[in-house]
């Protein structure tokens, strides 16, 4: 089954807005076993939309359109769909009632422009919009399903929940089950080396894909067949095998995040965490506090960007900095002890490094970064040689630091203990 | 003059990779006065590429293609372009020499697959790739220019510098001059109200566009004509007028950032900054330290995520928290005084708020955020009612805080002084 995604809007064609809708939709369709043949962005010009609709609907089973709905672009998508399918606009009292309620709830007046949003082509099934005023449409025309949705991502995503169900009911889709296995702190090349035998023994209907992203590699297992329960079992069996081979690198599944999983470990232990950051400048704390509810285990962080702060607040000895440098295993160890003392937290993360572009030396080039994790009893610090780019170094350091802390809590750390 | 952008690659169609190339290219073309009619993503299947090339080259003056070069997809774009334009592949010794040098420099062996990268269609002008091994191509065929580039963004962007020059030489482009005027802490609706007369007086060849993004609005002035020097003068004159109307909301131009401009002000004054963050959890410090060289004015930050840290380290009085709450003007004022005392910085930023999704009350709902900026002599704190989404609240608070600090340094602050 083939699908095509059309995005309508001048703001995308002039490079003002990045189209993220198409990727999201194609990801959703792909996991249902639908083949996305083409993604197209065009302007809100009627003739061009008509030509594109005509071509795409003849080549695909389903055409999904986002954008071009609402007052700012004169509802061009709706009018063009009405013309393309030869179906007149019709007033829908139930949509109008919904609009009235929408505006009442927000203490705003419904104006004439909004009234026009209650008109849809006769042949369209309305898809309710719980986040905005433009209804979605499902139109079956000449053996093709045409779906129209607003371009606002939150409105579109909400509607897609309904539309995916309608697609599953209408079409005879292959059964697909997949699972993402999330790993950190191990390179794709090393992983694929360790998983060579695993890949060779995979049953033919199960596929493995590597999706690397800055210190993390997502492994996607996909199984295609007829029966979802048996496919799920197949996937679970392969995941168990993966766990026995690369278990300690796996931090979670599907939508898990490193910071979220670390938070759960701390919640389980009822322990608290604090961080002392130099080169990451608050990014580790930002990752931790991105998780709702992190205030119940995260005490806080000291961002010691100057040496003065390292000595005066974290009580790093001046002698240590002079002798070993601000970026050294010795300084990071003292930063870690300092933050535990200062905040009273049970566990701590400390980092110091040269993020770049300047500050490097022959002995310690840009990308030299020391990362420490531990408790009052035990501290691990390791020096890493990372990248040349400032922002990539900040993000990669954060990933390694969070993953090291996670491994420390799971007693899996193989770093050199200090 | 019309252009079309084609992206080739399965990873985009299955939703695994977000295509950011097309937006970047269309932004570049638009500022040169080229009309991007369509952006298309298709898989690396020869028949589909041929059909798309045929359609797009008949409808456009230039077709820019990214992706489908290199060993992983068997150089499908090159082979298809060779077939489409009826032009045989030809060995190019100068490209082969370049490849040999590329691998020598990296201490790697050149393998047979790479040798094939030295073959290009006879009719192609090679565009050197300084960041990778696949050459770009410029082919003139049937009145249309076909351009092929690798999909790796850094390689593509580097080639586009050359390609944009070639486009300017080949085509008679309109002369376009534009400037982005960057504002913060003022809503688009209020701006457009204040700029109504300004917009009405604009000469016909100068256009204004509003590009809002979370607490910031970019104003784009575009002038179209024949002579770039006189257009630049026109733009400068309009920017001067903008400055006289909304001057204090303007923090910079074109690629400036709030954190970067704040850094320059601090460097000029030779003064230092520190921050005390609660709800933003390090995001303000992360913004500040994203700027290379920030270590010369940024002392550091205390992320006081627990009340305990607020009282023990920042010396906020327990009584203040009990009486007014952790999210209050009074607490933030004491946090600000505390961070200045603790770090010895000249200036400070302090924030406390309820980012959500939980923690709100009737009196202080989610989105209640107090932001303070100041020095030892003068402190401004203001309570804001922001949004319902945690991540948006964190980012918006950071923007307002950085902009308030900037205004404080420019003596433009109209907040209620404490």
């Amino acid at each position: 089954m083939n699908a095509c995604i059309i995005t309508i809007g001048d703001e995308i064609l002039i490079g003002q807005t990045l189209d993220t809708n198409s990727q999201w939709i194609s990801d959703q369709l792909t996991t249902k076993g639908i083949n996305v043949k083409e993604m197209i962005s065009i302007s809100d010009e009627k003739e061009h939309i008509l030509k594109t609709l005509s071509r795409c609907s003849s080549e695909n089973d389903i055409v999904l359109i986002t954008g071009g709905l609402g007052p700012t672009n004169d509802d061009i998508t709706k009018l063009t769909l009405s013309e393309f399918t030869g179906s007149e606009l019709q007033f829908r009292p139930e949509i109008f009632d919904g609009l009235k309620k929408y505006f009442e709830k927000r203490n705003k007046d419904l104006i004439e422009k909004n009234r026009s949003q209650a008109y849809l082509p006769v042949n369209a099934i309305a898809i309710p919009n719980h986040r905005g005023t433009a209804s979605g449409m499902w139109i079956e025309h000449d053996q093709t399903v045409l779906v129209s949705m607003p371009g606002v991502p939150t409105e579109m995503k909400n509607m897609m929940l309904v539309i995916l169900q309608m697609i599953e009911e209408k079409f005879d889709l292959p059964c697909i089950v997949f699972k993402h296995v999330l790993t950190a702190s191990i390179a794709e090349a090393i992983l694929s080396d360790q998983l060579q035998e695993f890949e060779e023994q995979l049953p033919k209907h199960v596929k493995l894909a590597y999706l690397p992203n800055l210190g993390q590699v997502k492994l996607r297992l996909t199984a295609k067949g007829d029966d979802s329960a048996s496919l799920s079992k197949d996937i679970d069996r392969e995941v168990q095998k993966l766990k026995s081979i690369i278990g300690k690198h796996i931090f979670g599944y599907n939508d898990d995040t490193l910071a979220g999983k670390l938070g759960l470990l701390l919640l389980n232990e009822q322990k608290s965490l604090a961080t002392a950051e130099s080169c990451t400048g608050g990014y580790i704390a930002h990752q931790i506090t991105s998780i709702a509810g992190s205030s119940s285990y995260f005490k806080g962080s000291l961002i010691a960007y100057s040496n003065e702060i390292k000595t005066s607040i974290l009580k790093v000895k001046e002698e240590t900095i002079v002798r070993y440098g601000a970026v050294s295993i010795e300084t990071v160890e003292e930063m870690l002890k300092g933050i535990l003392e200062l905040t009273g937290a049970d566990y701590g993360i400390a980092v110091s490094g040269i993020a770049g572009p300047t500050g490097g030396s022959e002995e310690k080039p840009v990308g030299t970064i020391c990362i420490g994790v531990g408790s009052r009893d035990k501290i691990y610090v390791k020096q890493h040689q990372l990248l040349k780019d400032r922002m990539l170094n900040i993000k990669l350091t954060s990933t390694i630091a969070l993953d090291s802390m996670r491994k420390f809590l799971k007693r899996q750390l193989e770093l050199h203990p200090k």
Side-chain angles (χ1 to χ4, degrees), chain A residues 301-314:
Chain A
S301 174
L302 187 82
I303 299 165
Y305 224 57
S306 72
N307 286 344
E308 206 183 321
I309 304 279
K310 289 187 185 83
T311 54
S312 68
I313 309 177
L314 287 177

Side-chain angles (χ1 to χ4, degrees), chain A residues 54-119:
Chain A
S54 161
R55 180 173 67 81
C56 293
S57 61
S58 75
E59 294 170 356
N60 293 282
D61 303 289
I62 181 160
V63 177
L64 294 118
I65 308 159
T66 63
L69 293 181
T72 49
N73 37 35
D74 302 319
D75 265 335
I76 184 76
T77 303
K78 188 166 74 184
L79 296 175
T80 310
L81 277 171
S82 158
E83 182 173 332
F84 179 70
T85 61
S87 177
E88 301 252 309
L89 293 182
Q90 173 194 52
F91 182 74
R92 310 274 183 118
E94 73 284 7
I95 296 180
F96 190 64
D97 287 346
L99 285 170
K100 276 197 290 193
K101 276 185 200 140
Y102 182 92
F103 283 96
E104 266 165 29
K105 206 176 151 190
R106 284 159 181 80
N107 284 319
K108 284 186 182 169
D109 290 332
L110 189 148
I111 55 173
E112 198 49 39
K113 268 183 183 169
N114 296 115
R115 194 184 154 85
S116 75
Q117 300 199 292
Y119 285 83

Side-chain angles (χ1 to χ4, degrees), chain A residues 21 47 56 89 170 173-174 197 214-215 231 307:
Chain A
N21 283 346
E47 288 310 317
C56 293
L89 293 182
K170 164 100 187 157
L173 297 177
E197 275 180 44
L214 207 57
L231 292 178
N307 286 344

Side-chain angles (χ1 to χ4, degrees), chain A residues 137-160:
Chain A
M137 289 171 276
W138 170 288
I139 300 174
E140 303 191 6
H141 175 74
D142 273 359
Q143 324 242 335
T144 307
V145 173
L146 305 167
V147 175
S148 159
M149 293 174 282
V152 181
T154 50
E155 299 180 23
M156 178 279 289
K157 288 179 183 176
N158 199 266
M159 281 188 191
M160 273 298 285

